[in-house]
Amino acid sequence: RSRHAAHHPTRGTMSRVTLAVYDLSQGMARQMSQQFLGFQVDLIPHTGVVVYGEEYFFGGGIQHCPHASFVASHMPPVEMREMGTTELPKELFLEFLEELRPRFTAMTYDLITNNCNNFSNEVTNFLLGQSIPASIVDLPERVFSSPMGQMLRPMIQQMQGSIQGGIQ
């Protein structure tokens, strides 16, 4: 962020930054996690960041669309968490996304270490200097550190590898 700020001393218009939180399990995690994992997981989170009138998210690459369009084509969010307000110009944000793009592709996706929530975390850190809730970012590591998660991890990694192999 400091490198960009030095190039653009002017302030942009203020824009609210909201974390859109979705439950990919659509309620199943809340119902089944205790018996399956041995601890409660309320949701399998997908997140996007709503800023400058669009929702930015990582799904097979960095993408964006109007928030309402994402909701209409996917699912309603379970939470819209106000993260703060940024004064960074949109142009500076778009430059930042271009720098991030090589790190967030279909080939670099990793369920545990490089997923949509890691992307949202990078975005909010850039825009506001703050992270999204650790409970969201740390969830894959918590799940895959559990005894059941350790059993599932090789299978998940193999599935991920075959998906990425099909992309090349």
Side-chain angles (χ1 to χ4, degrees), residues 150-162:
Q150 288 176 349
M151 285 175 33
L152 291 173
R153 193 177 199 144
M155 183 182 73
I156 298 289
Q157 288 174 325
Q158 184 179 3
M159 285 170 40
Q160 201 166 271
S162 65

Side-chain angles (χ1 to χ4, degrees), residues 22 50 53-55 65-75 77 80:
Y22 304 87
V50 181
E54 299 264 314
E55 182 163 345
C65 66
H67 172 67
S69 298
F70 185 90
V71 170
S73 63
H74 293 81
M75 67 187 85
M80 293 296 288

